[in-house]
Amino acid sequence: MVTKKLDAINDYENSINIASEILKSGGIVAVPTETVYGLAASAFSDNAIKMVFTAKGRPQDNPLIVHIASIDMLDGITCDVPDIAYECAKAFWPGPFTMVLPKGDNIAESVSGGLNTVAVRFPSEKTICDIINTSGLPLAAPSANTSGRPSPTTAAHVIDDLDGKIDAVVMGGDCTVGVESTVVSLVGEKPRLLRPGAVTPEQLLKILPDLIVDDAVLEKLKDGETAASPGMKYKHYAPKTRAILVEGCSNSFVRFVNQKSDCAAICFEEEYYNINIPKISYGSKRDESTLAQNVFSVLRDIDSLGVKEVYIHAPSKEGMGLAVYNRLIRACGFNVVTL
Ligand code: AMP
Ligand code: MG
C-alpha cells in the first residue's frame, strides 16, 4: 500500500478533507494530537479498527481510546455516565485526559478489546478535532507507532514505523505534550489513575479527592495479576539497546556514568558537559514538560549511538515527572539502579 503524505502545514484544508474522506470510507490515517500522533479509524467500523491492530502489530486485547470533539458525542459511545465524569470533562477537556466509562452500544466491538468499558478523550489539538467534525466520526486512535516501540511525536516517527502499512499520514508539526494522555477509570468503586500524563495527580485530586494510583503506574505486574488497563502488561517503548534507569543526584549520576565504557548516558542539560561518554540530554531536570516533549525522540535515538548499554537519569516523580518516569521505567524493562 502507498501511504499518502498529507502536508497539513502548507495545505491544511485539503489535508483535513482528504483524511476525513479516507476515514469515512473505512481507511486508517495517522493524525497529530497534542499528546502523540494517533492512528485513527472510525470507531463505528470493526473492519477499520482491525486494520489498526494489524498495522501496529498490537495485541487484540489492548483496547483503543475513542476521540471525540464535543461532550455531546459521549451519547451512544458511552452509557450511564456518572456526574463526576462531567466534572472531570469540565476541568480537563479539551486536553490530554482520557476517562474509562461504561461502553455504549454504538461503537465497534473490537475498540474495547472485549471489555464492557470504553476509554474516551476530547483532544485540544485543532487538526484531530477538525477531522472528527468534518468526517462526523468519533475516531478510535492508539499511538501511531509499531506496538512496543516508543510513541511517535513527529510525522517522521510515524513514517519510520508505518509507511506502506496505512492509508495516509496527516503531517503536522511536532506534538507539544509529547507523552500520551492521562487515563483515569471511573467505572470502579473509586476513581483510579491507570496511566499518568500531562494532567497530573495533583490536578486530578482537586476533582477526584479519593483517586487511587494503580500499582502498575510504577511497578511491574506480578505473574498472573490482571491489568486494570491491558496496555500496562505489555513491554513498551523499549530501544533495542539495553537500557537502565538510574536514580540519584546529578553528582552521583555523573560520577557513575564516567566510570563506564561501551555505554551511553541519557542525562539532564545541567550534567551534559561533565559527562565523558556518548550522551544525549533530554532537557533540564527542573522542566518536566520539556523532558516529556523529548523523551520518546530520545528513546528512538538511543540505538543509533551504537553502544551496548545506556544509563538514563530518572526524573523526579512530581507533577508531569511521574508520566516521564512511567514511560522510562517501561523502556528499561523495570531495570532500576539506585545510587
Ligand atoms: P494508546 O492507544 O497507545 O494511547 O494506549 C491506550 C491505553 O489506554 C492503553 O494502555 C489501554 O490499555 C488503555 N485503555 C484503553 N481502553 C481502556 C479501557 N476500556 N479500560 C482500561 N484501559 C483502557
Ligand atoms: Mg501506545
PDB file of all heavy atoms in Angstrom, residues 318-331:
ATOM      1  N   GLU A 318       7.409  13.947  40.657  1.00  0.00           N
ATOM      2  CA  GLU A 318       6.430  15.026  40.946  1.00  0.00           C
ATOM      3  C   GLU A 318       5.827  15.538  39.635  1.00  0.00           C
ATOM      4  O   GLU A 318       6.491  15.549  38.603  1.00  0.00           O
ATOM      5  CB  GLU A 318       7.124  16.209  41.629  1.00  0.00           C
ATOM      6  CG  GLU A 318       7.818  15.885  42.925  1.00  0.00           C
ATOM      7  CD  GLU A 318       6.836  15.424  43.998  1.00  0.00           C
ATOM      8  OE1 GLU A 318       5.821  16.121  44.183  1.00  0.00           O
ATOM      9  OE2 GLU A 318       7.074  14.374  44.611  1.00  0.00           O
ATOM     10  N   GLY A 319       4.584  16.028  39.715  1.00  0.00           N
ATOM     11  CA  GLY A 319       3.940  16.673  38.562  1.00  0.00           C
ATOM     12  C   GLY A 319       3.998  15.791  37.336  1.00  0.00           C
ATOM     13  O   GLY A 319       3.746  14.583  37.388  1.00  0.00           O
ATOM     14  N   MET A 320       4.382  16.376  36.201  1.00  0.00           N
ATOM     15  CA  MET A 320       4.469  15.609  34.955  1.00  0.00           C
ATOM     16  C   MET A 320       5.640  14.647  34.955  1.00  0.00           C
ATOM     17  O   MET A 320       5.741  13.784  34.077  1.00  0.00           O
ATOM     18  CB  MET A 320       4.641  16.575  33.796  1.00  0.00           C
ATOM     19  CG  MET A 320       3.443  16.624  32.916  1.00  0.00           C
ATOM     20  SD  MET A 320       3.811  17.627  31.509  1.00  0.00           S
ATOM     21  CE  MET A 320       3.901  16.383  30.264  1.00  0.00           C
ATOM     22  N   GLY A 321       6.552  14.806  35.932  1.00  0.00           N
ATOM     23  CA  GLY A 321       7.681  13.885  36.037  1.00  0.00           C
ATOM     24  C   GLY A 321       7.201  12.440  36.169  1.00  0.00           C
ATOM     25  O   GLY A 321       7.831  11.516  35.649  1.00  0.00           O
ATOM     26  N   LEU A 322       6.050  12.229  36.836  1.00  0.00           N
ATOM     27  CA  LEU A 322       5.519  10.875  37.020  1.00  0.00           C
ATOM     28  C   LEU A 322       5.251  10.203  35.666  1.00  0.00           C
ATOM     29  O   LEU A 322       5.517   9.013  35.491  1.00  0.00           O
ATOM     30  CB  LEU A 322       4.230  10.922  37.859  1.00  0.00           C
ATOM     31  CG  LEU A 322       3.617   9.568  38.195  1.00  0.00           C
ATOM     32  CD1 LEU A 322       4.511   8.766  39.144  1.00  0.00           C
ATOM     33  CD2 LEU A 322       2.222   9.726  38.810  1.00  0.00           C
ATOM     34  N   ALA A 323       4.713  10.979  34.707  1.00  0.00           N
ATOM     35  CA  ALA A 323       4.423  10.430  33.371  1.00  0.00           C
ATOM     36  C   ALA A 323       5.715  10.043  32.662  1.00  0.00           C
ATOM     37  O   ALA A 323       5.799   8.985  32.036  1.00  0.00           O
ATOM     38  CB  ALA A 323       3.648  11.451  32.541  1.00  0.00           C
ATOM     39  N   VAL A 324       6.734  10.886  32.779  1.00  0.00           N
ATOM     40  CA  VAL A 324       8.015  10.599  32.120  1.00  0.00           C
ATOM     41  C   VAL A 324       8.647   9.368  32.773  1.00  0.00           C
ATOM     42  O   VAL A 324       9.114   8.449  32.093  1.00  0.00           O
ATOM     43  CB  VAL A 324       8.956  11.828  32.207  1.00  0.00           C
ATOM     44  CG1 VAL A 324      10.274  11.541  31.502  1.00  0.00           C
ATOM     45  CG2 VAL A 324       8.291  13.062  31.616  1.00  0.00           C
ATOM     46  N   TYR A 325       8.613   9.328  34.107  1.00  0.00           N
ATOM     47  CA  TYR A 325       9.181   8.196  34.853  1.00  0.00           C
ATOM     48  C   TYR A 325       8.488   6.892  34.444  1.00  0.00           C
ATOM     49  O   TYR A 325       9.118   5.866  34.205  1.00  0.00           O
ATOM     50  CB  TYR A 325       9.027   8.444  36.356  1.00  0.00           C
ATOM     51  CG  TYR A 325       9.811   7.482  37.206  1.00  0.00           C
ATOM     52  CD1 TYR A 325      11.004   7.870  37.805  1.00  0.00           C
ATOM     53  CD2 TYR A 325       9.371   6.165  37.404  1.00  0.00           C
ATOM     54  CE1 TYR A 325      11.741   6.979  38.570  1.00  0.00           C
ATOM     55  CE2 TYR A 325      10.104   5.270  38.159  1.00  0.00           C
ATOM     56  CZ  TYR A 325      11.286   5.686  38.744  1.00  0.00           C
ATOM     57  OH  TYR A 325      12.015   4.804  39.494  1.00  0.00           O
ATOM     58  N   ASN A 326       7.155   6.949  34.347  1.00  0.00           N
ATOM     59  CA  ASN A 326       6.355   5.774  33.975  1.00  0.00           C
ATOM     60  C   ASN A 326       6.766   5.221  32.597  1.00  0.00           C
ATOM     61  O   ASN A 326       6.870   4.012  32.406  1.00  0.00           O
ATOM     62  CB  ASN A 326       4.870   6.180  33.996  1.00  0.00           C
ATOM     63  CG  ASN A 326       3.945   5.201  33.312  1.00  0.00           C
ATOM     64  OD1 ASN A 326       3.772   5.235  32.097  1.00  0.00           O
ATOM     65  ND2 ASN A 326       3.335   4.315  34.095  1.00  0.00           N
ATOM     66  N   ARG A 327       7.032   6.116  31.624  1.00  0.00           N
ATOM     67  CA  ARG A 327       7.446   5.643  30.287  1.00  0.00           C
ATOM     68  C   ARG A 327       8.866   5.071  30.356  1.00  0.00           C
ATOM     69  O   ARG A 327       9.169   4.055  29.745  1.00  0.00           O
ATOM     70  CB  ARG A 327       7.420   6.772  29.250  1.00  0.00           C
ATOM     71  CG  ARG A 327       6.096   7.549  29.076  1.00  0.00           C
ATOM     72  CD  ARG A 327       4.853   6.712  29.141  1.00  0.00           C
ATOM     73  NE  ARG A 327       3.646   7.459  28.793  1.00  0.00           N
ATOM     74  CZ  ARG A 327       2.802   8.005  29.669  1.00  0.00           C
ATOM     75  NH1 ARG A 327       3.011   7.918  30.976  1.00  0.00           N
ATOM     76  NH2 ARG A 327       1.717   8.646  29.242  1.00  0.00           N
ATOM     77  N   LEU A 328       9.740   5.752  31.104  1.00  0.00           N
ATOM     78  CA  LEU A 328      11.144   5.321  31.146  1.00  0.00           C
ATOM     79  C   LEU A 328      11.306   3.989  31.865  1.00  0.00           C
ATOM     80  O   LEU A 328      12.091   3.135  31.437  1.00  0.00           O
ATOM     81  CB  LEU A 328      12.008   6.394  31.824  1.00  0.00           C
ATOM     82  CG  LEU A 328      12.267   7.635  30.967  1.00  0.00           C
ATOM     83  CD1 LEU A 328      13.003   8.695  31.775  1.00  0.00           C
ATOM     84  CD2 LEU A 328      13.070   7.273  29.714  1.00  0.00           C
ATOM     85  N   ILE A 329      10.546   3.778  32.918  1.00  0.00           N
ATOM     86  CA  ILE A 329      10.719   2.520  33.658  1.00  0.00           C
ATOM     87  C   ILE A 329      10.268   1.331  32.791  1.00  0.00           C
ATOM     88  O   ILE A 329      10.853   0.236  32.859  1.00  0.00           O
ATOM     89  CB  ILE A 329      10.023   2.571  35.041  1.00  0.00           C
ATOM     90  CG1 ILE A 329      10.656   1.542  35.959  1.00  0.00           C
ATOM     91  CG2 ILE A 329       8.536   2.391  34.967  1.00  0.00           C
ATOM     92  CD1 ILE A 329      10.272   1.652  37.391  1.00  0.00           C
ATOM     93  N   ARG A 330       9.293   1.558  31.914  1.00  0.00           N
ATOM     94  CA  ARG A 330       8.890   0.518  30.957  1.00  0.00           C
ATOM     95  C   ARG A 330       9.956   0.335  29.878  1.00  0.00           C
ATOM     96  O   ARG A 330      10.272  -0.793  29.493  1.00  0.00           O
ATOM     97  CB  ARG A 330       7.541   0.858  30.338  1.00  0.00           C
ATOM     98  CG  ARG A 330       6.443   0.597  31.321  1.00  0.00           C
ATOM     99  CD  ARG A 330       5.079   1.000  30.877  1.00  0.00           C
ATOM    100  NE  ARG A 330       4.143   0.358  31.781  1.00  0.00           N
ATOM    101  CZ  ARG A 330       3.996   0.670  33.078  1.00  0.00           C
ATOM    102  NH1 ARG A 330       4.720   1.658  33.618  1.00  0.00           N
ATOM    103  NH2 ARG A 330       3.152   0.021  33.850  1.00  0.00           N
ATOM    104  N   ALA A 331      10.484   1.464  29.380  1.00  0.00           N
ATOM    105  CA  ALA A 331      11.532   1.377  28.352  1.00  0.00           C
ATOM    106  C   ALA A 331      12.728   0.593  28.885  1.00  0.00           C
ATOM    107  O   ALA A 331      13.438  -0.056  28.126  1.00  0.00           O
ATOM    108  CB  ALA A 331      11.964   2.777  27.922  1.00  0.00           C
TER     109      ALA A 331
END
